Amino acid sequence: TIIGNPYPDFIWGFTNNFSYKGFELSIFLQGSQGGKLINGDPNYNESGRTLPAYNTGRWVSAANPGNGKTPVTRGTGFNWMLTDYVMEDASYWSLREVNLSYAFKSSITKKLKLNGLRLYVSAQNLLFHSAANYRSLNPEGRFKSGPYSSVLIDGYQRGAFPIPQTFLVGIDVNF
């Protein structure tokens, strides 16, 4: 039975630039809509122990049967990877980049004997929002070794890292 397609319905991006009296603001949003992936993380102990999304609602006892969807923790001989429990929506959107700068007027730069002076701040990956049922850190992540590291294998994700945020502050001086 086919229970998912690893390819998104569409990938999108939006960029815009705004300028006002020496200030410039640029933003870049990017996302992917649709597509399913097999999340390999539930099959490994570290994910089951450290990420509550894999344990919330699991069976604990007859008095506390859980939600009927989340499997019991390890040691039962049950292979989670053979169920639809590991199929997840790979949709996401992200605020990938924001740049804000101020270019000083030529009257000020001439007094300083400069051709141009600009201050700027830049930030990458400020926001990241994945689908509601996605339980890991990053649907773009790929396991970098072993049999699933090949770029020819689509739809399997394991071992994703959080998306790093980067902040830069700078001065652009032109002599």
Side-chain angles (χ1 to χ4, degrees):
T1 301
I2 297 172
I3 59 174
N5 182 343
Y7 305 108
D9 299 329
F10 59 92
I11 298 171
W12 59 271
F14 172 79
T15 186
N16 209 337
N17 298 309
F18 305 95
S19 297
Y20 180 74
K21 294 188 177 184
F23 286 96
E24 289 186 18
L25 174 67
S26 70
I27 60 169
F28 174 49
L29 293 159
Q30 183 265 330
S32 176
Q33 181 62 42
K36 300 280 186 186
L37 60 80
I38 296 171
N39 187 347
D41 288 341
N43 204 39
Y44 295 89
N45 287 330
E46 72 273 11
S47 298
R49 283 193 307 262
T50 59
L51 296 175
Y54 295 115
N55 292 316
T56 303
R58 71 177 172 84
W59 184 92
V60 177
S61 68
N64 187 0
N67 61 15
K69 173 81 172 151
T70 306
V72 182
T73 56
R74 315 290 178 267
T76 62
F78 184 76
N79 188 347
W80 298 17
M81 298 302 288
L82 299 177
T83 71
D84 66 349
Y85 179 70
V86 295
M87 288 296 295
E88 298 185 4
D89 186 351
S91 300
Y92 69 89
W93 64 266
S94 178
L95 179 56
R96 292 287 185 197
E97 189 160 358
V98 176
N99 294 306
L100 177 64
S101 67
Y102 178 74
F104 288 89
K105 295 179 182 180
S106 61
S107 60
I108 294 172
T109 57
K110 285 182 183 178
K111 289 179 185 177
L112 297 172
K113 298 185 181 178
L114 299 172
N115 289 334
L117 179 62
R118 184 174 69 99
L119 301 175
Y120 63 90
V121 294
S122 177
Q124 287 83 34
N125 301 315
L126 286 176
L127 296 171
F128 187 86
H129 185 270
S130 56
N133 75 332
Y134 185 75
R135 293 171 290 182
S136 196
L137 300 172
N138 174 6
E140 293 179 302
R142 290 199 58 104
F143 197 50
K144 298 295 184 204
S145 64
Y148 295 104
S149 64
S150 171
V151 296
L152 301 176
I153 297 174
D154 290 318
Y156 179 83
Q157 183 272 319
R158 157 94 176 101
F161 289 95
I163 297 173
Q165 291 182 332
T166 307
F167 299 92
L168 300 170
V169 176
I171 300 172
D172 183 8
V173 180
N174 294 306
F175 296 100

